[in-house]
Amino acid sequence: AEQVSPPPPITCWELEHDGAGVRMTGNLAPKPVFHGTSVQIALRGTLMIEFEATGEVYSASVPDLHIRFFGLGGSYNETVGKVRFERVDPGTTGDNRKLWADLHFKPRGSAGWRSKANRMEGCVYEASPHSKGGCGAGGGMGYGYVENFGHIDEAMKRAAAKWCARPPVGATTLGDARIVMTLKGHWNDTLYAGGDPSKPFWHAARRRRQMPIAQTVPLDLETESHIVWGDLIRAIVNKDWKKANAAKKRLEVAQRRLMKEIKEGRKEWHPRLFRSGAHPHRGPLAGLYTTRENVRTDPPPADPLWHELIAKEVFTDL
């Protein structure tokens, strides 16, 4: 993972499972929106999922995080918002249909009752190769990294199929797309095809007692997130607020110093692990940040200027 841009901060990460032949790349640019008794984190994220066996590429926008501090249902946080999941490249499957799903993570509402938590509605569509289609994660919706940061232009927005997670009752088509299936239920438990309890479509995996630990690439550069933020995260987990406050202060001082250097033109921000525009043939996903070639086998050296501005400041006691 790497922060590839100064404010607005854009964080990129990549996960790969060799056994399953799956790679997932994420671009995320969160923005908090305060509402008095709550705050909604507009994550403005886009995922790219690649399957090695078939060469297929899928995109997905990322729902928001809503945090309510108090209310009739007490304090809570939940996943809310609109998501589009779409196949943007059929790979070697020979199936050139346009396929996408529109999903709605529904909020609890102003009362915040627990009975209304984790609800989801959705609809799966298919269309001919020459139809409008979904046009990439976020296309025409106003959600997702690719749209918030200029990788989907106005023409593509107009060409994108209208987002619709709940089509009219009894409808079999929407525009030039065919409705394959509607979904309804709770995303943390079971989703049902057509909302019919006798037709389960999705069963959420139960959380393991011990969560699996991902094997990370041993880059261990001085500015990697798990190093820079490690003291703060450990202090929060241990509820040691004195140490957490000191760690947070060190990070803030270092970041302000770095931003001053960039603003004055004495430091340029160059991502070392990721680059943009490496896949120009992927349409709306062409501008996503993806890992540089051979970055896993031949990682870049530490940046001495960055080390001076961030790492040294973080690890020096005030």
Side-chain angles (χ1 to χ4, degrees):
E2 181 180 25
Q3 184 175 329
V4 299
S5 169
I10 298 171
T11 298
C12 300
W13 49 268
E14 182 181 280
L15 296 174
E16 188 172 9
H17 193 299
D18 292 334
V22 178
R23 176 186 296 173
M24 181 183 294
T25 303
N27 286 197
L28 201 66
K31 179 181 180 181
V33 181
F34 294 91
H35 300 290
T37 60
S38 65
V39 60
Q40 186 155 327
I41 312 299
L43 293 178
R44 302 189 301 177
T46 295
L47 306 178
M48 180 172 68
I49 304 123
E50 303 168 89
F51 292 89
E52 182 180 357
T54 63
E56 290 176 283
V57 179
Y58 289 80
S59 70
S61 47
V62 179
D64 294 347
L65 174 64
H66 181 79
I67 304 170
R68 180 172 288 276
F69 305 121
F70 56 87
L72 295 178
S75 60
Y76 62 88
N77 62 75
E78 63 178 343
T79 299
V80 300
K82 301 176 180 179
V83 167
R84 172 161 286 172
F85 187 90
E86 180 187 0
R87 185 174 71 173
V88 296
D89 190 336
T92 59
T93 62
D95 179 0
N96 293 320
R97 291 176 302 163
K98 292 188 175 181
L99 303 170
W100 71 94
D102 288 341
L103 308 174
H104 185 197
F105 291 80
K106 304 184 72 172
R108 296 190 188 188
S110 56
W113 301 123
R114 291 186 179 182
S115 59
K116 294 185 177 296
N118 307 315
R119 295 175 300 152
M120 177 193 280
E121 290 184 343
C123 189
V124 182
Y125 299 94
E126 69 171 4
S128 70
H130 307 293
S131 70
K132 290 183 178 181
C135 293
M141 293 194 300
Y143 294 85
Y145 167 83
V146 292
E147 186 156 348
N148 279 283
F149 292 91
H151 301 302
I152 292 183
D153 57 19
E154 291 300 323
M156 190 170 290
K157 290 181 184 180
R158 290 193 296 269
K162 183 179 179 181
W163 185 90
C164 182
R166 189 178 184 182
V169 176
T172 57
T173 61
L174 190 69
D176 56 359
R178 186 179 76 87
I179 297 172
V180 178
M181 180 187 302
T182 57
L183 301 170
K184 190 174 183 179
H186 293 79
W187 57 265
N188 68 327
D189 187 7
T190 307
L191 288 176
Y192 300 98
D196 187 343
S198 66
K199 298 179 180 178
F201 174 79
W202 161 280
H203 288 296
R206 297 304 174 189
R207 182 174 295 179
R208 300 181 182 181
R209 291 185 178 181
Q210 182 177 357
M211 295 298 290
I213 300 174
Q215 180 180 357
T216 59
V217 178
L219 298 178
D220 290 332
L221 303 179
E222 289 88 343
T223 53
E224 283 198 82
S225 296
H226 73 281
I227 294 178
V228 175
W229 292 91
D231 287 347
L232 175 59
I233 294 172
R234 282 191 293 271
I236 292 174
V237 170
N238 295 329
K239 296 184 179 180
D240 189 334
W241 307 120
K242 186 176 180 180
K243 286 186 177 180
N245 185 61
K248 178 175 177 290
K249 187 175 181 180
R250 287 198 297 271
L251 283 166
E252 290 173 342
V253 169
Q255 285 282 8
R256 281 196 293 267
R257 185 180 174 192
L258 174 60
M259 291 303 103
K260 182 180 178 181
E261 296 283 326
I262 292 175
K263 187 175 181 179
E264 293 175 352
R266 292 185 285 152
K267 169 68 178 174
E268 293 184 1
W269 193 298
H270 295 295
R272 289 180 291 158
L273 306 181
F274 289 79
R275 62 176 177 174
S276 177
H279 301 285
H281 61 286
R282 289 187 177 168
L285 299 186
L288 280 184
Y289 282 92
T290 55
T291 50
R292 294 180 181 274
E293 189 175 0
N294 301 324
V295 73
R296 293 174 179 270
T297 56
D298 186 21
D303 184 337
L305 292 177
W306 190 287
H307 177 269
E308 180 69 22
L309 289 166
I310 288 288
K312 185 177 179 181
E313 192 75 29
V314 167
F315 293 111
T316 301
D317 289 334
L318 298 177

